[in-house]
Amino acid sequence: MPRYPSPARSADGLSPAVYSSLLSLAEESGHEVFALNVGDTYLEPPHAARVQRLADAPHPGLHRYADVRGEPALIEAIVADHARRGLPIDRERLQITAGGTSGLDVAARTLLEPGDELILLAPYWPLIRGIVRATGAQPVELPLFTELRKPGFDLRATLEGALTERTAAIYVNSPNNPTGVVLNDDEIAIIADFADEHGLWVLSDEAYERLGFESDARPRLPTVWTHPTLLDRTVVMHTLSKSFALAGARIGYLHGPTPVMQRIAGLNTFTNYCAARPMQLAAARALSPDSDAWLAEARARYRAAAEQTAKALRIPVPEGGTFVFFNTRPYLHKGETPEALLERCARAGVVLTPGVVAGAAYRSWARLCFTCVPPSVLTRALATLQRLLYAGHP
Ligand code: PLP
């Protein structure tokens, strides 16, 4: 059956405007534009990892292909970094990818078949839904991170409620984009038992693994994939985008059980072939212990921004990540829809991400990135937002 001129149905609804079409409203407004919908940072990466600094060292063949599994210098740096953090990984189980996004794409296409279902713990990072749909599998949204800590919430029963005979995998992202929730050990254990009992793959998204706002009470973040039950059923995605302010470098990596990593290496070869060699070398430098001070400083700044934002919006401080997620319902004017409220904000220059892109249950919610602008700009943005939200609301 000829398909022309229709593209494949698996590409239906995938749009580069996933985050927001509100920016143009803000740009046309004549006000200062605060694009708080972009999940990025105002910081420059650690000195040694900046592209300018690559020129300092002789790199023969800098512009040639890299090894398909990854540049040896980067693989060594990752193995050493994980060992240093007490999260050892085997270099044979590693695959460097062109950013976390392509890593998750390759992992999803390796684990899922058309007709499968993947439980998508919501709210979620908006691109993951499209990544899963493009495989032909069905993402099954399960509102969780906003409910988890409510009295009486039963995590196990909630997970069971999303299960069908077609469920093949579950996607877990902690620290979570957009809520900033960090799963604790008990919650991870429940997810691990659930995945184990029902024979599910786990796709663990560690994009914010170094951006937990640890306290003395919890000096280290719990990690999902290191749970003993999960080690052999989890494909883990890491990226340097968030931890080291290297989003434009497009460097990430996957690891998981050997047989599936062999398939992942194959699929990655047939799609991305390799990540950019110069940026892999930059990433290797970012992972050196010399970056510790940079990272501590970045985390302290992000934490201060998180606290400032949470206070301005009268919501709890996120436990990690670069976002807050809040319900706009209390701030709607009479008869106003959530979409209209976000347009009102955009017309005053403040662009937020509509919550619905993080899950169908979140139409009245909004996501704000508190790391994408410097502190002085964030202060102005929050003052504008407060005026918009609290006018008429004491
Ligand atoms: N996973 C989550 C939870 C994210 O927030 C992001 C980026 O925002 C990614 C994955 C993708 O990261 P990358 O920039 O490395 O593609």
Side-chain angles (χ1 to χ4, degrees):
M1 179 82 161
R3 174 168 302 120
Y4 177 85
S6 301
R9 255 181 302 168
S10 54
D12 274 0
L14 299 179
S15 152
V18 58
Y19 283 105
S20 188
S21 54
L22 295 166
L23 185 61
S24 47
L25 275 187
E27 284 168 346
E28 288 156 14
S29 72
H31 293 288
E32 180 178 9
V33 174
F34 306 107
L36 306 181
N37 57 325
V38 184
D40 210 339
T41 176
Y42 67 92
L43 294 180
E44 289 296 316
H47 254 278
R50 298 181 192 175
V51 275
Q52 307 88 304
R53 297 296 299 278
L54 282 180
D56 298 350
H59 291 299
L62 187 61
H63 303 95
R64 294 199 195 127
Y65 289 117
D67 187 290
V68 289
R69 289 300 279 265
E71 190 60 32
L74 178 54
I75 291 188
E76 285 316 309
I78 291 170
V79 170
D81 167 68
H82 273 258
R84 211 156 61 85
R85 291 191 290 146
L87 303 166
I89 47 176
D90 177 353
R91 59 168 55 64
E92 302 306 319
R93 292 171 162 218
L94 262 179
Q95 174 66 51
I96 309 299
T97 59
T101 305
S102 91
L104 284 167
D105 172 50
V106 171
R109 285 193 289 136
T110 305
L111 300 179
L112 299 171
E113 289 184 355
D116 284 346
E117 291 179 1
L118 170 139
I119 298 177
L120 193 49
L121 302 184
Y124 47 77
W125 167 59
L127 295 194
I128 190 63
R129 187 168 179 278
I131 288 173
V132 172
R133 281 206 36 219
T135 69
Q138 188 60 34
V140 175
E141 298 185 18
L142 185 60
L144 187 116
F145 292 102
T146 47
E147 313 305 307
L148 200 54
R149 309 276 160 79
K150 288 185 181 165
F153 180 76
D154 185 337
L155 176 55
R156 178 68 193 231
T158 304
L159 293 169
E160 295 286 346
L163 194 77
T164 74
E165 76 244 6
R166 296 197 303 195
T167 311
I170 178 167
Y171 166 81
V172 186
N173 167 225
S174 171
N176 172 251
N177 170 0
T179 59
V181 168
V182 177
L183 294 174
N184 64 33
D185 289 327
D186 293 343
E187 291 156 350
I188 291 171
I190 292 171
I191 295 172
D193 286 349
F194 170 74
D196 187 41
E197 267 173 47
H198 296 293
L200 306 182
W201 283 109
V202 176
L203 198 47
S204 177
D205 181 332
E206 295 269 321
Y208 299 92
E209 63 183 312
R210 292 172 212 252
L211 298 184
F213 306 137
E214 294 93 331
S215 58
D216 291 344
R218 195 189 58 189
R220 225 178 90 180
L221 282 195
T223 42
V224 172
W225 64 272
T226 49
H227 189 282
T229 311
L230 292 182
L231 273 175
D232 279 332
R233 60 173 66 253
T234 304
V235 174
V236 193
M237 182 231 78
H238 305 262
T239 170
L240 279 86
S241 293
K242 312 294 172 178
S243 304
F244 295 104
L246 280 168
R250 313 306 304 134
I251 301 295
Y253 57 97
L254 296 172
H255 62 94
T258 305
V260 85
M261 288 314 296
Q262 283 166 352
R263 301 290 168 82
I264 281 178
L267 193 52
N268 193 64
T269 307
F270 280 85
T271 49
N272 302 297
Y273 192 75
C274 67
R277 186 160 184 262
M279 301 325 296
Q280 292 197 54
L281 296 170
R285 289 169 161 215
L287 288 169
S288 116
D290 295 345
S291 298
D292 286 355
W294 183 94
L295 194 56
E297 167 75 17
R299 226 183 346 232
R301 284 168 177 258
Y302 293 170
R303 186 190 190 131
E307 285 168 359
Q308 184 188 359
T309 306
K311 189 165 175 220
L313 295 176
R314 304 171 184 174
I315 54 176
V317 180
E319 298 171 281
T322 61
F323 304 99
V324 292
F325 195 58
F326 65 103
N327 198 341
T328 65
R329 194 165 295 289
Y331 307 118
L332 299 178
H333 289 171
K334 200 161 186 296
E336 190 178 44
T337 62
E339 293 78 11
L341 178 135
L342 293 185
E343 286 175 15
R344 180 155 62 84
C345 293
R347 284 201 194 86
V350 181
V351 186
L352 303 174
T353 305
V356 73
V357 300
Y362 298 102
R363 195 185 140 217
S364 69
W365 292 63
R367 188 188 78 167
L368 179 157
C369 176
F370 50 76
T371 60
C372 61
V373 291
S376 57
V377 181
L378 183 65
T379 300
R380 289 202 297 280
L382 291 174
T384 307
L385 195 54
Q386 282 180 306
R387 271 200 309 278
L388 292 161
L389 298 182
Y390 304 149
H393 297 271

